[in-house]
Amino acid sequence: MNIIDLYEKYDNLYYIGGVVRDILIKMPSQDVDITVEGNAIEFCENLEDCEIVQTNPDFGTVRVKINKQIYDIASTRKEIYPQKGHLPKIVEIGCSIKDDVIRRDFTINALAKNTKTGEIIDYVNGREDIQNKKLRVLHDESFIDDPTRIIRGLKFATRFGFSLDEHTKILQDNYLKNINYDMCYKRMKDELISTFNLNSNKAFSTFINDKIYKLITEKEIKLPDYDIQNLVGKYYKKINNVWLIYIALVDTEKLELNKTEIKIVEDYKNLLEMDLTNDYDIVKAFENCEIESILLYEITKNDGKAIKYLDKLNEIKPEINGNDLKQIGVPPSEKYAKIFDYILQEKLKNPELTKMEELELAQKYEKNTKNM
Ligand code: CTP
C-alpha cells in the first residue's frame, strides 16, 4: 500500500488548512497537512502495511511509515482558548470536520479537500475570499484568542498580495488599541520570522503604520526612511536572519532571542554609540559583527560607512602572516597582533601595498618598538 491507495480507499481523509489554500491559489505548499475525520491514532492502528512511528494522544496526532515514507496525520479536533493569547486547549478529539475547520484563523485556511472524492469542504466561503484576495477571520474573538493571527494576516497579505476585509481590519485595530501583553511570545516570534524573512518594505510599512508593532513593544516607533528591502536584497545570500534586521529596528525585548540573535542586537546598539572617524575605526568596529548588525547600523545612521566596509574595506587585509614574521626574525608573541594591526592601518591608507612592502613595514615597526 502507498499513500495514494490510502487516499483513494477511505472517505474520511482530508487535506486541510494551508495546503488546500495553496492548491487553489496555485502556489507551492510548505507542508501538506492530512487529517482524519475521527481519531487518527485509532485509524492508523487499524491499517495494514502502516507502521506507527510515534503517537501523541494528547493532540491526537500520529506519525506513520507507509511504503518507506513518513507522514504526520492529525485527528479532527475542537479547541478553545481558556487563556487568551496562549496555546489553545483541545476539548474534543475526533470531532466533525466542520468543528475542526471553524476553529482556524482565516477563511482561506479553513478549507479541507477530501482525498478520495476531491470535494472541497468550505463552510466559511474561503474559496470566495481567495478569489477576492481577502483575509477574513472566522469570528470576532479571533485576534483576542490568538493575537499571532495578526502577524499571520500580514504574512499572508505579503505572500499572496491579499488584504484584510473591512470588518477584520476593524477587529484588528480594536485589538491593537487594547493589547493583552500576557501572551506566548514564542509563537509570536515564529510568525515574525516567517513574515519578515519575506523581506518586504510593504510588510514593514504596514507593520509600523497600522501599529501592528505594538504587539511587541509599548514604545512609539517611526518607519525608518530607508529602502530596507533593496539593501537586504543586495546582501541576501550572506544574511541568515533577514527578519531580525526589521524587528531589531522596533524592539526585541519581549522576544526570546537565541545567543546569535542577542549578539546581533547588542552589537548593533554598541555600533550606534561609536565614533567612526576613519577607515581603520570602521574596520575595527565592524570586523567581529554579523552582517545583520552592520546593516542595522546602515539603516539607522545612513552614513554610508557600513556599505563602504562591506563593499570595500572588508576586502583589505594584510598579506603577511605569522610565518612571514617568524622568517624575518620576530619571535612569536602577543606583539604579532600589534604588528598586523599596524600593517592593516597602513594597508587601509594604501591598499596597493605589496607583500614585500608589508614585510619592510613590519620590520621597521619591530625595530622601533623593540624595547616597548
Ligand atoms: N492555524 C490557525 N491559527 C494559528 C496557526 C495556525 O488557525 N495561529 C491553522 C490554519 O488553518 C493553518 C493551519 O493551522 O492553515 C496550519 O498552520 P501553519 O502550518 O502555521 O499554517 P499554514 O497556513 O500552512 O502557513 P504556512 O504556509 O506559512 O506554513
Side-chain angles (χ1 to χ4, degrees), residues 117-253:
T117 63
E119 185 195 357
I120 304 257
I121 309 295
D122 180 7
Y123 292 105
V124 291
N125 291 333
R127 269 180 299 196
E128 194 182 316
D129 284 336
I130 286 178
Q131 280 212 323
N132 296 330
K133 299 180 179 275
K134 284 290 168 206
L135 293 162
R136 186 191 313 272
V137 287
L138 273 67
H139 58 90
D140 285 6
E141 296 276 300
S142 190
F143 294 138
I144 300 168
D145 283 346
D146 180 0
T148 67
R149 288 174 171 171
I150 294 181
I151 309 292
R152 288 174 62 80
L154 181 61
K155 171 176 76 177
F156 298 126
T158 308
R159 199 192 284 164
F160 305 130
F162 286 16
S163 61
L164 294 186
D165 111 277
E166 220 174 291
H167 183 61
T168 298
K169 176 71 168 57
I170 293 170
L171 294 172
Q172 175 175 298
D173 289 344
N174 287 345
Y175 184 78
L176 293 173
K177 278 183 207 134
N178 190 16
I179 296 169
N180 175 6
Y181 284 101
D182 171 19
M183 67 173 90
C184 173
Y185 276 97
K186 182 181 175 316
R187 299 172 76 208
M188 189 61 83
K189 183 183 169 193
D190 290 343
E191 293 299 346
L192 289 167
I193 292 174
S194 40
T195 304
F196 286 99
N197 274 347
L198 295 171
N199 185 30
S200 157
N201 280 338
K202 190 160 181 246
F204 196 50
S205 61
T206 306
F207 188 66
I208 304 294
N209 294 336
D210 288 358
K211 303 243 181 246
I212 300 175
Y213 76 89
K214 286 279 177 192
L215 289 169
I216 57 165
T217 186
E218 287 162 72
K219 297 177 192 155
E220 289 298 321
I221 305 289
K222 278 208 194 100
L223 187 65
D225 182 17
Y226 201 103
D227 184 349
I228 304 173
Q229 183 179 324
N230 186 40
L231 179 74
V232 167
K234 181 170 166 193
Y235 300 100
Y236 193 76
K237 284 194 185 138
K238 293 184 183 164
I239 309 171
N240 289 322
N241 297 282
V242 167
W243 72 279
L244 192 52
I245 296 177
Y246 289 92
I247 297 305
L249 293 167
V250 178
D251 193 357
T252 53
E253 235 163 76

Side-chain angles (χ1 to χ4, degrees), residues 34-36 38-41 55-62 73-79 87-95 100 103 187:
I34 309 160
T35 291
V36 171
N39 186 313
I41 302 174
T55 62
N56 188 338
D58 291 342
F59 285 88
T61 54
V62 55
I73 305 183
S75 307
T76 40
R77 62 176 194 255
K78 214 170 166 175
E79 294 177 344
L87 276 179
K89 186 168 172 250
I90 298 171
V91 287
E92 187 183 341
I93 287 178
C95 64
D100 184 282
R103 69 178 162 83
R187 299 172 76 208

Side-chain angles (χ1 to χ4, degrees), residues 24-58:
L24 295 172
I25 300 179
K26 300 191 176 66
M27 286 278 242
S29 236
Q30 321 222 342
D31 48 22
V32 176
D33 290 325
I34 309 160
T35 291
V36 171
E37 185 173 30
N39 186 313
I41 302 174
E42 287 168 14
F43 174 82
C44 290
E45 278 168 352
N46 290 321
L47 288 177
E48 278 173 30
D49 307 325
C50 168
E51 183 190 330
I52 309 259
V53 179
Q54 202 183 336
T55 62
N56 188 338
D58 291 342

Side-chain angles (χ1 to χ4, degrees), residues 255-271:
L255 307 177
E256 250 179 59
L257 300 186
N258 65 30
K259 266 195 195 157
T260 312
E261 295 160 351
I262 290 171
K263 181 177 181 308
I264 288 171
V265 176
E266 281 180 357
D267 283 351
Y268 158 53
K269 290 188 175 155
N270 291 335
L271 285 172

Side-chain angles (χ1 to χ4, degrees), residues 347-372:
K347 191 118 190 180
L348 286 165
K349 284 185 220 155
N350 176 15
E352 307 300 318
L353 274 185
T354 62
K355 190 171 177 185
M356 279 309 290
E357 288 166 331
E358 285 183 25
L359 274 173
E360 282 165 22
L361 284 171
Q363 244 162 347
K364 257 191 225 162
Y365 182 90
E366 162 66 359
K367 219 161 119 194
N368 293 341
T369 57
K370 197 135 206 159
N371 301 316
M372 287 167 81

